[in-house]
Amino acid sequence: MASQKISSFLSRTLASSSIRSLSQHGRTSHCRRVVSRYSTAAATEDPITPPVSVKYTQLLIDGKFVDSASGKKFKTYDPRTGNVIAEVAEGDAEDINRAVAAARKAFDEGPWPKMTAYERSKILFKFADLLEQHTDEIAALETWDNGKPYEQAAKAELPMCVRLMRYYAGWADKIHGLTVPADGPYHMQTLHEPIGVAGQIIPWNFPILMFVWKVAPALACGNTIVLKSAEQTPLTAIYAAKLLQEAGLPDGVINVVSGYGPTAGGALASHMDVDKLAFTGSTVTGKLVLEMASKSNLKPVTLELGGKSPFIVCKDADIDKAVELAHFALFFNQGQCCCAGSRTYVHESVYDEFVEKAKARAMKRVVGDPFQKDIEQGPQIDSEQFEKVMQYIRSGIESGAKLETGGEKLGSKGYYIQPTVFSNVNEDMLIAQDEIFGPVQSILHFKDIQEVARRANNTHYGLAAGVFTQDIDTANYLARALKVGTVWVNCYDVFDAAIPFGGYKMSGQGREKGIYCLMNYLQVKSVVTPLKDPAWL
């Protein structure tokens, strides 16, 4: 795909009557039992057996699957039921030390940074092919471990992973410096060199996508990697790393350590022999990571953090389209999205109409077993996140916001929450201030675009924003006035390999994807050589 548009995912996939032949995996027999509107008594009482087995649960260090040094394991759970999927090796500081040593040796002595860029690109292209070939297995693992709809993983996220990998594979042999004219008889050039050992920490909401977002540019630039996966979702990172080995990546170039943030993550962030750190996760944890990096060897850090993104519906908007887009902007991925449009600002002249239609759309949302075809919403990731979202819902009710619909647990198993819509929300309410990371839409009203721009910017976050208007002047004004890293105009959640993504303010520093991301993994060296009797300068 030339452009990966997640915002068009539902309309594309739900219109199809044969999504990746789901019946081949034994899903069809459960169709009528598990699909349910949010308002029914049960979301799914008879979970579908996942069409995949767990093959890899160890750490990957220096090209080999190994147990943790301590021998410890932790459990990863199925969010549909709370049942254990598998026990995974639990890495800690000693395992991080082993992984960093392997990555250092692979960088300093191994073939990877010494290969021609073209040879590296061929391995990355082969990995992209393997990702594409194993889409079904990876998507099934992702759904099982994370709870996101299988169709979303298989039809939107895995194709995006493949496209991004090919994008950076294509960049590998196009990274070069400059020849710079100097004031005098000197030849001056710049070299763009790999930075060395890259430490990477990825989150649980988009495990395989974040894996590729991190490793693709780092490998294209010739670096080696130690990656810590989220303890909630370790399975797809291990699987993908195995495919990288099959693609021909030399031993030690990528090392994957599953483990907890305070132990494995903390050891990686503070390690003296890690040259660069990339982190995606909450703003609170991002601050800790940055502090640990600065107190160790002052390694450069890129951060992709939280958000409380405004979605602005102007008075001239097509209300039906705006309702659908705002619904998707918030509820996509169970609301577990850093750039979710979680503050829906609607012009006062169309506010009442919008609220009624937003409520009706939420009540039609199809919630159930994410392995089921045509499911829009699965469970939250785990009990902790479930309880956090429910606390915010109670807070909204107690603070005086009007609960239009939802607000309760769905079913007796797993971590399903009814799609929830609040109206009459004020900025001083927690549901309008904090990143809820769940299926809770807060609708506010405004009078004019200057006012809404000021209110939208009145937050510590600055990751993204949506603007829905038919007026080009309004769109241009808000696109420049909003202090965010991405502004989507009359669309939302449009991601492409070439589009940089990142935040202003406390939503992070640096950019993921696109050409801008390459500089996160490169150093610039100036080389100056005298010229003897030059023919020209």
Side-chain angles (χ1 to χ4, degrees):
M1 297 180 189
S3 179
Q4 300 295 339
K5 299 183 179 180
I6 292 182
S7 59
S8 63
F9 161 68
L10 288 179
S11 60
R12 285 202 320 271
T13 58
L14 298 185
S16 173
S17 60
S18 56
I19 304 298
R20 194 173 287 275
S21 188
L22 292 179
S23 60
Q24 295 178 6
H25 298 300
R27 300 185 180 94
T28 304
S29 62
H30 296 271
C31 288
R32 293 178 177 81
R33 282 188 290 167
V34 298
V35 176
S36 59
R37 303 301 181 184
Y38 88 84
S39 57
T40 59
T44 167
E45 304 301 326
D46 186 16
I48 293 170
T49 300
V52 68
S53 61
V54 178
K55 297 179 181 177
Y56 310 112
T57 59
Q58 294 175 291
L59 313 178
L60 181 65
I61 297 178
D62 202 15
K64 301 177 182 64
F65 282 115
V66 297
D67 293 329
S68 62
S70 67
K72 290 182 180 179
K73 296 181 180 181
F74 66 92
K75 297 173 182 177
T76 186
Y77 297 92
D78 182 347
R80 302 174 304 157
T81 61
N83 295 337
V84 175
I85 298 173
E87 291 191 348
V88 179
E90 180 185 336
D92 56 22
E94 186 173 349
D95 302 293
I96 291 294
N97 287 338
R98 290 194 293 164
V100 171
R104 172 58 58 197
K105 183 178 180 181
F107 184 78
D108 291 344
E109 304 175 18
W112 185 246
K114 297 180 176 65
M115 281 184 184
T116 66
Y118 177 59
E119 289 298 317
R120 288 201 303 269
S121 75
K122 288 197 295 183
I123 291 174
L124 299 184
F125 274 120
K126 186 174 181 181
F127 173 58
D129 292 342
L130 289 172
L131 279 177
E132 192 168 48
Q133 292 167 22
H134 292 271
T135 287
D136 287 341
E137 299 99 307
I138 299 172
L141 278 178
E142 192 87 332
T143 293
W144 195 7
D145 211 15
N146 171 274
K148 66 177 68 225
Y150 174 85
E151 292 179 0
Q152 173 187 318
K155 289 294 186 178
E157 295 177 19
L158 262 298
M160 183 182 292
C161 290
V162 173
R163 177 66 181 93
L164 191 83
M165 204 68 229
R166 289 175 177 153
Y167 174 85
Y168 281 111
W171 263 114
D173 60 355
K174 300 169 185 66
I175 297 170
H176 54 77
L178 300 172
T179 300
V180 184
D183 292 337
Y186 299 96
H187 173 77
M188 209 288 274
Q189 67 183 101
T190 61
L191 302 177
H192 289 182
E193 299 181 342
I195 200 165
V197 176
Q200 302 180 327
I201 302 173
I202 61 174
W204 50 258
N205 57 333
F206 293 96
I208 188 60
L209 193 60
M210 294 298 101
F211 177 93
V212 174
W213 277 28
K214 290 289 186 288
V215 305
L219 293 178
C221 293
N223 298 281
T224 59
I225 295 169
V226 177
L227 181 141
K228 192 202 86 69
S229 56
E231 60 268 26
Q232 298 90 340
T233 53
L235 300 180
T236 50
I238 309 171
Y239 192 104
K242 175 62 175 176
L243 294 183
L244 268 168
Q245 297 287 111
E246 291 181 19
L249 198 71
D251 292 348
V253 175
I254 187 165
N255 306 271
V256 176
V257 178
S258 307
Y260 293 95
T263 50
L268 186 60
S270 59
H271 204 288
M272 293 295 293
D273 209 21
V274 171
D275 300 304
K276 183 265 182 302
L277 192 68
F279 171 83
T280 295
S282 72
T283 297
V284 171
T285 306
K287 289 181 178 181
L288 297 174
V289 165
L290 188 60
E291 181 181 7
M292 287 185 281
S294 67
K295 287 183 176 179
S296 53
N297 58 344
L298 206 61
K299 61 179 73 63
V301 180
T302 50
L303 301 169
E304 197 265 282
L305 306 176
K308 191 66 178 175
S309 300
F311 185 101
I312 301 170
V313 180
C314 298
K315 61 183 178 180
D316 64 341
D318 181 317
I319 296 302
D320 291 334
K321 291 182 180 178
V323 165
E324 185 62 33
L325 198 62
H327 177 86
F328 183 78
L330 186 281
F331 290 102
F332 174 67
N333 204 53
Q334 293 69 250
Q336 297 170 156
C337 188
C338 57
C339 58
S342 54
R343 289 182 294 155
T344 307
Y345 288 96
V346 181
H347 192 272
E348 60 184 9
S349 65
V350 294
Y351 184 82
D352 290 342
E353 179 186 0
F354 185 95
V355 168
E356 285 303 310
K357 290 183 175 180
K359 172 183 176 180
R361 177 62 181 92
M363 293 179 71
K364 293 178 181 178
R365 189 165 183 80
V366 185
V367 182
D369 189 325
F371 279 106
Q372 171 58 49
K373 181 181 176 181
D374 293 349
I375 287 296
E376 294 179 278
Q377 181 176 316
Q380 308 310 123
I381 182 67
D382 59 17
S383 60
E384 181 180 350
Q385 187 63 24
F386 173 88
E387 289 300 332
K388 174 187 173 184
V389 175
M390 295 304 294
Q391 287 175 11
Y392 276 113
I393 291 173
R394 290 191 289 271
S395 170
I397 295 171
E398 292 166 0
S399 62
K402 182 180 179 182
L403 179 63
E404 295 286 346
T405 186
E408 297 180 3
K409 176 181 172 64
L410 185 58
S412 62
K413 292 182 179 180
Y415 310 119
Y416 296 87
I417 296 176
Q418 293 175 344
T420 300
V421 177
F422 281 106
S423 64
N424 296 336
V425 177
N426 298 321
E427 257 97 358
D428 59 353
M429 298 177 181
L430 285 180
I431 59 172
Q433 293 179 353
D434 292 0
E435 185 179 31
I436 299 174
F437 231 57
V440 181
Q441 184 177 30
S442 298
I443 308 178
L444 306 88
H445 58 76
F446 70 94
K447 292 183 179 181
D448 58 62
I449 60 172
Q450 290 79 17
E451 171 208 340
V452 76
R454 183 177 64 255
R455 290 167 62 192
N457 288 332
N458 188 25
T459 174
H460 295 303
Y461 296 114
L463 190 55
V467 174
F468 210 88
T469 180
Q470 298 180 52
D471 188 294
I472 188 63
D473 294 329
T474 298
N476 283 335
Y477 174 82
L478 288 173
R480 286 160 175 75
L482 295 170
K483 294 179 172 62
V484 296
T486 300
V487 178
W488 286 295
V489 179
N490 294 330
C491 59
Y492 207 87
D493 277 347
V494 178
F495 293 96
D496 187 277
I499 300 176
F501 183 77
Y504 285 23
K505 298 186 282 186
M506 289 173 65
S507 284
Q509 52 193 41
R511 291 295 179 267
E512 305 279 348
K513 303 192 291 104
I515 188 173
Y516 294 92
C517 186
L518 292 170
M519 295 311 299
N520 297 339
Y521 295 98
L522 293 168
Q523 298 190 98
V524 179
K525 177 184 289 183
S526 298
V527 180
V528 183
T529 307
L531 295 171
K532 184 177 181 180
D533 298 326
W536 51 267
L537 290 177

